[in-house]
Amino acid sequence: MVLLFATLVILSFLCTVPGRVRVAVRLRPRNAEEMMADADFADCVEVQPELKRLKLRRNNWDSDTYEFDEVLTEFASQKRVYEVVAKPVVESVLDGYNGTVMAYGQTGTGKTFTLGRLGDGDASDRGIMVRSMEDIFADLSPDTDFVTVSYLQLYMETLQDLLNPANDNIPIVEDPRNGDVSLPGATLVEITDQQSILELLRVGEANRVAANTKLNTESSRSHAILMVHVKRSVVDSEDVVSTENNDASRLTKLSKPVIRKSKLVVVDLAGSERVHKSGSEGHMLEEAKSINLSLSSLGKCINALAENNAHVPFRDSKLTRMLRDSFGGTARTSLIVTIGPSPRHRGETSSTILFGQRAMKVENMLKIKEEFDYKSLSRKLEIQLDKLIAENERQQKAFEDEVEKVNLEAQCRIAEVERNFADALEKERLKCQMEYMELVKELEQKLVLNQERHDCNNFVADNGEINTSIFTCPNVKSFNNLAGGIIFFSHGPASSSADEVAEAKMLLETERNRRKAAEEEVERLKSQLGKHTQAENFFSIHSSRMNSVGLQKILSLLESDDANVRIHAVKVVANLAAEEANQKRIVEAGGLSSLLMLLRRYEDETVRRVAAGAIANLAMNEANQELIMTEGGITLLSMTASDAEDPQTLRMVAGAIANLCGNDRILMTLRSQGGIKALLGIVRCGHPDVLSQVARGIANFAKCESRASNQGIKSGRSFLIEDGALPWIVQNANNEAAPIRRHIELALCHLAQHEVNAKDLISGGALWELVRISRDCSREDIRNLARRTLSSVSTFKSELRRLRIDY
Ligand code: ADP
Ligand code: MG
């Protein structure tokens, strides 16, 4: 973090102004005693307030005239006296100057009246002390300013705390550097409200009375000193200039904290009359001298100051030490001299007036006592620094957060764009690849077609005649459909193909005749149906509840001469075979042989369908599968398949063969006895349920075969390929019926695992399907299997490379 260091130029203006001691004279009205005693005499003074003059009668015809700063008549109100005498001083104190208000005069002339009246009964009587403190307090701001008060009495050079009278020997300590006087130990009471001002003065007055009683003296012999300390915090922002970067806008931002300490001293002096005149207190002379030492020292100091003497004997008394700043010092000082009108006290009045006159000549140099508040500045700067640090950290954090946020957003956006781009790219790539693959596929098919067409042309040329119903447009697909999926086109010589076709035609004709005869036979048998209801009842009873005798009986009925009986019997056996629990017994009782016999002997399709269903059920059991094989089951099932028209029959046969296809042990036999070809023959029936069974059979076979190849039991191309199943497999690999598709996809994957099949798979178009399976197959395991196979079988890899398909 970068800390800003500002160079602060602190300018301080301390005012020093000349300020002469201001002196007012106040004339007390005649008191009752004077009214009486002086009734016949004129006052010795005549006041001319408008001229600020006072005439002191010398005798009946002569008088001396004196000018004062203010002349206050006997009618002057306390308020006016305050405003004229004290208020300017109070204002100066509030401005930071020291101030002094002092009353001087003969006992009984109204010093205490002028300064100390509390105005309990009548607020207008309030004297200068109360009014000053009230004005000061009213002007202060409680948060930043303090006002504390001490109230002392000086008697016989002893300083006593009027707020704590027990503290009666307070030392006066002067600061050698600046001459500031302090009174360690004097009680300082903080003024917190207007009410406490009066209470404090009341306590002080009471203590003054009590102290005087104790000392057997009068208040007129002691000096009362009220000290009001004012401490104000002043913020002078204009004085603080930041020069950082020469940036003027920061000029007033920092402030200079200043503490102004000022002090108002209100002194109610002891009576100024000479000691000998008032020696009635019974003090010894020395004591009397001591009593007035401070007062006479004050007079001497004032004289010295008035005459501009080099030496002013401030140190002679405690009072002058305390008032050093008030006369000839830095304070604004106002003196009120009080006089009475009585001619009897003319001498005292005269000396009072002369004291006042001399005091008027004292020049002070008013100076604000201002202290630079380093503590406060340091505190403020620390706080400001803390704030700046916190703000900076906050901004830094906010900035970092913002950067992070922007970063994150940018990253998210980049990631999103990249993702979208990658997706789009991948889609585009796949699309191109698929298009490319389709194109290649199409081209290769065209190539095959052209070759076939070429062969075909050769064939026509060789034989001169052709059965167009079979050979028109001999592409693989249409050929397969026409030939029922059993007879496969061979690329051998054209003549042998023609023989095969002729043979097939013959077979077909024979079969048709047979079917016709069989249908006639069925009709005949149906007419006998009514006769055998009894037998049917018997069968239906036994179909649900069977004992071995019953089973034997039913099985024997399978060989009945009566076709209806046979039909019903085979239905019962099929029902029984559907339950796994019966299967073993049926086989043991020779049921399987009987059922196979039905396939062999009878051409009634219902019988064969039901028998095939029963065999399919029995073929679910592995133990029966070999038996079925040994008894030539495959051949019989193949025959049934090639004869049957009914999809149900075909479904049963296909189901039975599919079950057998799942047996590793009979794999070879199954194939050699034409199992696969039988399955392929069945596909001529387009019924999805039938195709699904075929597909299952092929998948089972492919799986067993793959296992056998892996175990080294079998070598060479897949029998499925050998037996021509590949075209159908490829054709149905993406069949819309999910069960068919799933079985074929699996079969393809098994086939593809063996390098030996790869070439055929490629030429048969299976590669495309494998690629599709690896991408689109809904089953993840098959998808992965296809992917693994494509990337591990080298023929595929090179073909994919040749086709420029990334894998
Ligand atoms: P000092 O303190 O100078 O000895 P005080 O203030 O005690 O004199 O006054 C003596 C008496 O004169 C008191 O009773 C006081 O009330 C009365 N007095 C003084 N000045 C005035 C005045 N201006 N108006 C009316 N009474 C006054
Ligand atoms: Mg008094």
Side-chain angles (χ1 to χ4, degrees), residues 737-766:
I740 301 171
R741 187 172 67 246
R742 210 174 54 242
H743 289 310
I744 298 296
E745 283 173 345
L746 204 56
L748 262 179
C749 287
H750 286 306
L751 287 174
Q753 276 171 44
H754 304 283
E755 187 74 59
V756 72
N757 297 328
K759 264 204 177 111
D760 292 278
L761 287 173
I762 291 168
S763 66

Side-chain angles (χ1 to χ4, degrees), residues 472-516:
T472 307
C473 192
N475 64 41
V476 174
K477 189 174 169 184
S478 57
F479 183 82
N480 280 353
N481 284 345
L482 286 168
I486 303 168
I487 305 162
F488 283 85
F489 186 82
S490 145
H491 290 285
S495 57
S496 70
S497 295
D499 289 348
E500 278 176 26
V501 171
E503 198 180 320
K505 271 176 77 185
M506 229 165 69
L507 270 171
L508 203 63
E509 197 52 44
T510 318
E511 289 305 313
R512 272 191 196 133
N513 290 338
R514 269 195 206 158
R515 190 180 304 147
K516 208 175 167 193

Side-chain angles (χ1 to χ4, degrees), residues 326-344:
S326 306
F327 294 94
T330 63
R332 181 182 287 282
T333 299
S334 218
L335 175 69
I336 182 164
V337 293
T338 54
I339 52 172
S342 171
R344 283 179 291 137

Side-chain angles (χ1 to χ4, degrees), residues 654-675:
I657 299 177
N659 287 344
L660 297 173
C661 282
N663 191 327
D664 294 291
R665 285 199 296 268
I666 56 173
L667 187 75
M668 305 292 189
T669 332
L670 181 88
R671 188 257 170 167
S672 63
Q673 291 183 2

